[in-house]
Amino acid sequence: MSGNGDVTPQGGQSRRGVLKAAVAGAGAVAAVGAGATAAHADGRRRGAPTFVLVHGSGCNSSSWSALSGELGLRGHRVAAVDLPGHGPDAYFPASYQAQDLARLRTEPSPVSKVTLADCTAHVTEAVRRAHRNGPVVLVGQSLGGATVTSVANQVPELLAHLVYVSAFCPTRHPSALQLMMTPEASTSALFRIPSVQTPPELGVGRVNWRSADPAFLAAAKDALAAGYSDTELLALLNTLEPDESLAVSAAESPGAAETWGRVPRTYVRFTEDRAIPPALQDLMIREADATTPRNRFRVRSLAAPHIGPRDPRVLADELEQVARLCR
């Protein structure tokens, strides 16, 4: 127990430090590339599913742009949502814009008020609307997996399939925070991304993605985009948002066997992910399968870092396979 009341898990990380790491940037997928965030083709083909895409921490719907564009060109319906406090509702502190680093540590953020329940309600409404056109495949990446799980707990009857793209899937460990405190998460490179040292009462994990510090850039690249070029990394960082509500990672909403557990599911493992290491991905798969042994994950593995494959066709191929299972 540390002096400020934080529990200290292995590796010397405080409970709050783990929470901040969990939201420090475990979010973007396929953010580098061109495309639309929403695509629609033949919207009344009731046998074809609609993909509803949920982004991760510090991101917005544009993180799905390359994948959305590719799926749209293949004739699929796609809706990439912006979670509350993200996209048009994102908050960029004045100190972030000015790079006033002293003020950045204390400037309040309305994002702190966002809860997992808010995210769940928002995505559930998108799922309801999409369901009017036919089956829905709900896809979550990174921290977005917590919202996907919570939605499936509430409206399993509206979902044809769940897809976790290197995403948090809480079951036996009921929150993203608790998953990040496991031994399997101890090697996560997220712990090495320097976050802004905000006081607990601020309620946000804050990252200065506009930092020019070479050590910061190296840590961010290692965690999120290993194998990408420095130019691609900067393009990614300029799409990210500085604040994420700590309440979302801390909220407990484990997948329930009687609801979430009824929905067929696929886990897309990123074998080169250093933010959510393969060992942690495999732990979540095992715990989910133990919760519903008669409805186990369909597992696919891709050689990709946390932001996903450089070529959006690779992930689009996987989602097309899921679409075929829904017909």
Side-chain angles (χ1 to χ4, degrees):
M1 186 75 68
S2 63
N4 62 2
D6 288 347
V7 177
T8 303
Q10 48 236 42
Q13 290 285 336
S14 72
R15 187 176 189 275
R16 184 165 178 269
V18 172
L19 180 54
K20 292 180 75 173
V23 301
V29 62
V32 181
T37 60
H40 303 272
D42 191 12
R44 297 299 172 184
R45 290 183 303 148
R46 298 201 54 88
T50 298
F51 293 100
V52 176
L53 310 180
V54 181
H55 62 79
S57 172
C59 300
N60 51 59
S61 60
S62 71
S63 66
W64 295 107
S65 62
L67 178 64
S68 295
E70 178 63 27
L71 288 171
L73 289 172
R74 298 184 186 196
H76 296 284
R77 293 190 301 267
V78 184
V81 301
D82 286 303
L83 292 174
H86 295 274
D89 295 329
Y91 181 71
F92 291 85
S95 55
Y96 181 73
Q97 302 283 27
Q99 287 295 283
D100 181 344
L101 302 186
R103 186 181 169 199
L104 188 60
R105 290 194 291 270
T106 59
E107 187 172 344
S109 173
V111 175
S112 65
K113 302 183 186 304
V114 175
T115 66
L116 181 60
D118 295 330
C119 296
T120 302
H122 184 74
V123 175
T124 297
E125 175 59 22
V127 167
R128 289 189 189 280
R129 293 180 62 189
H131 190 260
R132 297 170 189 166
N133 292 318
V136 174
V137 174
L138 182 59
V139 182
Q141 200 270 341
S142 194
L143 186 59
T147 296
V148 164
T149 300
S150 183
V151 171
N153 276 339
Q154 295 196 14
V155 289
E157 69 280 2
L158 300 183
L159 302 171
H161 207 99
L162 298 171
V163 180
Y164 292 79
V165 180
S166 197
F168 287 103
C169 180
T171 52
R172 301 294 175 87
H173 290 83
S175 69
L177 169 61
Q178 292 187 38
L179 285 162
M180 287 298 290
M181 296 174 72
T182 62
E184 289 80 2
S186 62
T187 62
S188 173
L190 289 178
F191 295 129
R192 296 189 288 277
I193 296 180
S195 61
V196 179
Q197 297 305 301
T198 56
E201 58 270 20
L202 216 61
V204 294
R206 178 169 286 167
V207 182
N208 182 16
W209 299 115
R210 292 180 182 166
S211 172
D213 179 8
F216 172 87
L217 295 173
K221 184 176 182 178
D222 184 53
L224 305 177
Y228 280 69
S229 70
D230 290 345
T231 299
E232 290 169 319
L233 173 70
L234 292 176
L236 166 67
L237 298 186
N238 277 287
T239 69
L240 301 184
E241 301 166 1
D243 291 353
E244 186 67 52
S245 171
L246 294 177
V248 175
S249 288
E252 295 188 359
S253 184
E258 63 275 13
T259 50
W260 162 88
R262 291 160 38 194
V263 185
R265 59 181 186 260
T266 292
Y267 200 102
V268 181
R269 296 172 69 253
F270 286 169
T271 61
E272 298 174 6
D273 194 337
R274 298 176 187 174
I276 301 181
L280 179 55
Q281 297 175 56
D282 292 341
L283 172 68
M284 293 186 283
I285 293 168
R286 289 196 306 271
E287 292 187 342
D289 288 350
T291 300
T292 57
R294 295 184 179 180
N295 181 26
R296 301 170 66 86
F297 263 118
R298 171 181 174 271
V299 180
R300 308 289 294 172
S301 294
L302 300 178
H306 193 66
I307 67 168
R310 181 180 275 102
D311 187 344
R313 293 175 293 183
V314 175
L315 190 51
D317 287 345
E318 295 297 334
L319 293 184
E320 279 203 317
Q321 290 186 36
V322 170
R324 295 187 192 103
L325 296 174
C326 297
R327 294 177 180 173

